[in-house]
Amino acid sequence: ALNYNDQYSESVAVADIGLKHSKNLRNSSYWGSLLYVKAYSLHFLGNHEESKRLFYQAYYLYSALDDSANVELTRKTILKLYNVELCD
C-alpha cells in the first residue's frame, strides 16, 4: 500500500527486504508481487530502466506460474507506463 500513497522510496525498501528474506528462505511465493511493487515504485522515482527490467521479471514469473490475472495486470501496467506491448 505504500506505493499507492506516494511513499515510493519506502515501498522499494520494503520490497527489497521481502525479496532478500524470501530468497534466503527459498520461498518464491511473493516474488512476482514484490518485483511488481518495486518496479512500479521505481518508475515514479524516475529509475525507468530498472523499473522496466523488474516489470519484465514479474511478467515472465507470472507467465511461468500461469497466473493469468497478474500477467494481464503487469502487461497493462507496462503498456500504460512505457508504451511497451508484451506478447506471449
Side-chain angles (χ1 to χ4, degrees):
L2 291 171
N3 60 330
Y4 294 111
N5 291 318
D6 296 335
Q7 295 175 306
Y8 301 116
S9 295
E10 294 87 348
S11 181
V12 169
V14 170
D16 281 338
I17 290 168
L19 287 165
K20 178 182 176 186
H21 286 295
S22 64
K23 286 178 185 176
N24 288 340
L25 296 171
R26 297 283 199 219
N27 183 343
S28 60
S29 301
Y30 299 102
W31 285 3
S33 298
L34 291 166
L35 291 168
Y36 180 96
V37 166
K38 185 173 179 181
Y40 187 87
S41 298
L42 286 172
H43 168 77
F44 288 101
L45 291 171
N47 190 342
H48 300 293
E49 290 306 312
E50 181 70 3
S51 171
K52 282 191 264 187
R53 188 180 73 78
L54 293 173
F55 271 129
Y56 295 150
Q57 288 182 6
Y59 175 83
Y60 289 112
L61 180 58
Y62 288 140
S63 294
L65 297 172
D66 292 322
D67 185 344
S68 58
N70 281 313
V71 165
E72 191 58 27
L73 172 66
T74 307
R75 183 191 327 257
K76 287 180 180 178
T77 302
I78 293 170
L79 181 60
K80 178 181 175 188
L81 297 179
Y82 295 110
N83 199 31
V84 172
E85 192 160 351
L86 296 175
C87 301
D88 292 331

